[in-house]
Amino acid sequence: MKLEHIYLKIDPSRFHYLKFILEGYDGLSQLSNHDIAKGIVRLRYEKSCQKEMFTLLDSLAPSISSF
């Protein structure tokens, strides 16, 4: 199984919030910090879950944004 990945810039203080939300979607994705001081995180997910992943991220964007 090959995983896709994307990098996101989030508010560093929201890392644990995002991790908690993603854990609720068991198996949807894997979150890791790339440069947590700058708020850069990496999400890995299966290609078949891409639509669900992006729909979820779209709804979470206002609450995790660093802007």
Side-chain angles (χ1 to χ4, degrees), residues 1 3 22-30 44-46 48-49 52-53:
M1 159 182 46
L3 297 177
L22 292 173
E23 285 175 357
Y25 288 82
D26 192 33
L28 178 63
S29 67
Q30 299 170 350
R44 292 185 291 180
Y45 57 92
E46 290 185 41
S48 63
C49 298
E52 185 178 3
M53 184 78 250

